[in-house]
Amino acid sequence: MAQVPQTFFDALAVRTWCGLALTALGRAREEIDAINVYPVADGDTGTNLYLTVESAATAVEAVFAGQPSLGDAARAMAHGALIGARGNSGTILAQLLRGMAQVLAAEGDASHTDGDGLRLALRHAADSARQAVAHPVEGTVLTVASAAADAAAGAEGDCGAVARAAYQGACAALAATPGQLAVLEQAGVVDAGGRGLVAVLGALVETFTGEAPGLTGAVAGSGSGSGFGSGVHARVEEVAECVDGADGEGGPAFEVIYLLKADDAAVTRLRQRLDALGDSLVVVGGDGLWNVHVHVDDAGAAVEAGVEAGRPYRIRITHFGVGDAHTRGGERAPRERVQRAVVAVVPGEGLAGLYAEAGATTVLARPGEPPASGELVEAVRRAHAREVVLLPNDADLRHTAAAAAEQARTEGIRVALIPTRSAVQGIAALAVHEPDRRFDEDVVSMTSAAGATRYAEVVVAERQSWTMAGICQAGDVLGLIDGDVAVIGSDVTATAEVVLNRMLAAGGELVTLVLGDEAPQGVAEHLEARVREAYLAVDTVVYRGGRQGSLVLVGVE
C-alpha cells in the first residue's frame, strides 16, 4: 500500500522514514550481505545496517508517546542509531543520521522544515560522516553519501523533489563504485554499504512522494538488485579468498565495538591511538557519547584505550575465525560459517579481551545491567558458526541463556549451554576447548572443566543484610564461595586470603585470580606468595578484569 506523502519534513516524516527504511533494508538485507567484499568480506553489511536502523526506529517510536517536535524525533533517531550501530557501515550510517539531526533540530521547537532544510541536512550528514572515518576511501558509502548531497544541492522544489534528486545522485554514484575500487570490480558488484544507503534514501523518497523508486541502470544489473544470481555469488566467494591476500597477509583478527562516555579531547587522543593499532577505524557521536568501531589484532589494547579515554560499555569483540577474511596468514576459506564457536558473557573489559584472544565471541555484562536474551542471540549470530558453545558465566543468567539458545536453534544453529556460574569457570572451560573434536565430546570436556572449578569473589556490601556468615553492614568486605557469603571482613586482602585458604583446604592444582579495577595494590602478590608458601603443588595465574563489579574473582581447579 502506498504511503500518504509528507509535504514537509516533520516529526511524523521522521517516523515514517525510519519505518520505511527498516522495511527496505529488511527486503535487501540478504542481497547486501551477499555482495559485501569491502573493507572485509564478512557478509554482514546488510544485517548491520538493518540492526542500526531498527534501533533508530525504536527510539523514534518511544518519543511518540507524547507530541514530539521535529527536533525531538530527529534527535531520537540519531541517538537510537548511535547506540545501536553495528559494523563499519552501520556506524557510518549512524553518523549520517546524526549529521542530519543536527540540522533538523537546529530550529529549536519548529514543527517542520522544507526542501532547503533537507538539502542542508544531507550536506551536513555527508560531511560529518567523512570526518568520522580515519582514512576515507572513494567507492564506498562515503562517496555515495557525498553524491547524494551534491545532487540535492542542485535540486529545486519541496522535500520530495530534493529527496528524489539525492536518490538519483546516490544511484549514479553507486553504479560507479566498481570503477573506484578494484575489489568491487573483481567481484562484479557495487559497494554494499552504498547499496544500503540507496535503500535508505529510497525510503526517504517514498516518505515524501508516497511512491517507492526502483533501482535503475547499472545498479539494477550489478548484482545488488533482485536479480542477484549464482554467478555473482561465486565471483564474490572467489574474490573473498584473495582480498588483501596478494602479499600473503590479511587484516586484523578482531572487530572491537563499544559505546564510550568521554569528552572531545579524550576522543581525539583515542582516535590517534586506535589508528595506530588497526584499521577500519570509525568514531562517531558527540556531546559526551561516542560509538567506536575498529579492526585490530590486540583486542585488549583497543578496549584499554577506551578505558583510558573514558567509560566504555556495551563492548562487543568478535574474533574472526582462522581462515576468515579478517585473519592473517594468507589462507582464506570461502565465506561459509565456521564449524564451531564459543560465545561467553563476561563481567569486565579485561576479561572480554582475554576471552576474545582465546577465540570467543563476547558479550559484556555491566554491573547491574545483565544482557537480555536478544543480545545473546545476536552474539550467537555474530559468531557465524554451525555449532556454538554458550557460557553465561552467571547463575542468574541461566534462564536468559537458555532462551537465547532455544531461539538460535530455531535458526538452524546447534547450541550447547554450559551452565557456568562465574567467569573463572568459563576460563577453565575455554582452556580445554578443542574445536576439531566431535561437538559432544568438546561440550562434555568443557562442562567437566567448569564443574571441577570452585569459584569465589570478594565484594563490598552495598547495604546491611543477613547472610549465611551473619549480619553484614554497608561497606563490609564479603567473601562469597560458590555464590554464598562465607566471610565478612573489613580488609580486602585479608578477606581474600581467608577465602583462598578455605577453597584450597579441599585441594586444588591451579588458582586463577581476576582483579577488578578497584582491587587494592598488592593483593595479587600477597595471594600468590601465600599459595607458594602453603600449597607447594599449586600454580597461580593472574588476570586484570577491568570494571567487573567484584574486587577479586577466585577460581580453584
Side-chain angles (χ1 to χ4, degrees), residues 201-481:
L201 291 173
L204 186 64
V205 174
E206 186 174 0
T207 298
F208 294 121
T209 68
E211 298 179 359
L215 293 175
T216 58
V219 176
S222 65
S224 58
S226 59
F228 190 85
S230 59
V232 176
H233 274 293
R235 186 64 180 142
V236 170
E237 297 291 349
E238 179 183 341
V239 172
E241 294 181 7
C242 60
V243 173
D244 296 327
D247 59 358
E249 205 173 273
F254 301 101
E255 179 183 57
V256 179
I257 305 172
Y258 50 80
L259 293 179
L260 177 71
K261 290 187 176 180
D263 59 34
D264 291 0
V267 170
T268 297
R269 294 191 296 271
L270 175 67
R271 289 178 191 270
Q272 295 172 347
R273 182 167 178 188
L274 292 179
D275 193 26
L277 286 174
D279 59 31
S280 296
L281 173 61
V282 186
V283 181
V284 304
D287 302 320
L289 180 62
W290 309 82
N291 190 306
V292 179
H293 170 280
V294 67
H295 293 170
V296 293
D297 279 318
D298 190 342
V303 175
E304 288 171 9
V307 173
E308 291 179 6
R311 187 174 77 84
Y313 63 106
R314 294 195 183 180
I315 299 170
R316 296 190 298 275
I317 300 175
T318 302
H319 176 265
F320 301 113
V322 176
D324 186 85
H326 296 71
T327 55
R328 297 190 178 277
E331 285 188 26
R332 295 177 181 270
R335 292 189 303 111
E336 298 178 352
R337 290 183 179 273
V338 297
Q339 184 60 32
R340 190 173 309 156
V342 176
V343 173
V345 180
V346 291
E349 298 92 344
L351 282 178
L354 173 67
Y355 270 74
E357 287 169 9
T361 296
T362 62
V363 178
L364 188 69
R366 302 161 294 280
E369 299 180 51
S373 62
E375 288 184 73
L376 300 188
V377 172
E378 183 193 333
V380 170
R381 292 170 181 153
R382 282 192 289 119
H384 203 60
R386 299 183 182 90
E387 302 167 340
V388 171
V389 179
L390 182 57
L391 306 175
N393 292 339
D394 186 336
D396 293 336
L397 284 178
R398 183 169 182 177
H399 294 300
T400 301
E406 190 59 36
Q407 173 61 38
R409 290 181 189 118
T410 66
E411 299 176 12
I413 304 170
R414 188 180 184 188
V415 181
L417 171 60
I418 297 178
T420 49
R421 294 172 290 173
S422 171
V424 290
Q425 289 188 322
I427 291 172
L430 200 54
V432 300
H433 168 55
E434 292 185 15
D436 292 333
R437 65 183 164 197
R438 290 179 57 250
F439 185 62
D440 291 339
E441 291 177 357
D442 198 28
V443 171
V444 168
S445 178
M446 294 176 73
T447 302
S448 297
T453 303
R454 299 189 68 197
Y455 66 96
E457 59 180 326
V458 178
V459 300
V460 175
E462 296 180 355
R463 65 184 70 87
Q464 182 188 62
S465 61
W466 291 87
T467 76
M468 294 184 65
I471 300 175
C472 73
Q473 305 295 326
D476 282 348
V477 179
L478 306 181
L480 291 80
I481 299 177

Side-chain angles (χ1 to χ4, degrees), residues 148-218:
D150 292 343
E156 297 181 358
D158 61 11
C159 288
V162 173
R164 190 176 293 281
Y167 175 78
Q168 291 171 346
C171 282
L174 179 64
T177 56
Q180 295 170 294
L181 274 178
V183 65
L184 301 178
E185 187 173 21
Q186 282 181 277
V189 297
V190 294
D191 178 67
R195 171 64 180 91
L197 180 58
V198 163
V200 171
L201 291 173
L204 186 64
V205 174
E206 186 174 0
T207 298
F208 294 121
T209 68
E211 298 179 359
L215 293 175
T216 58

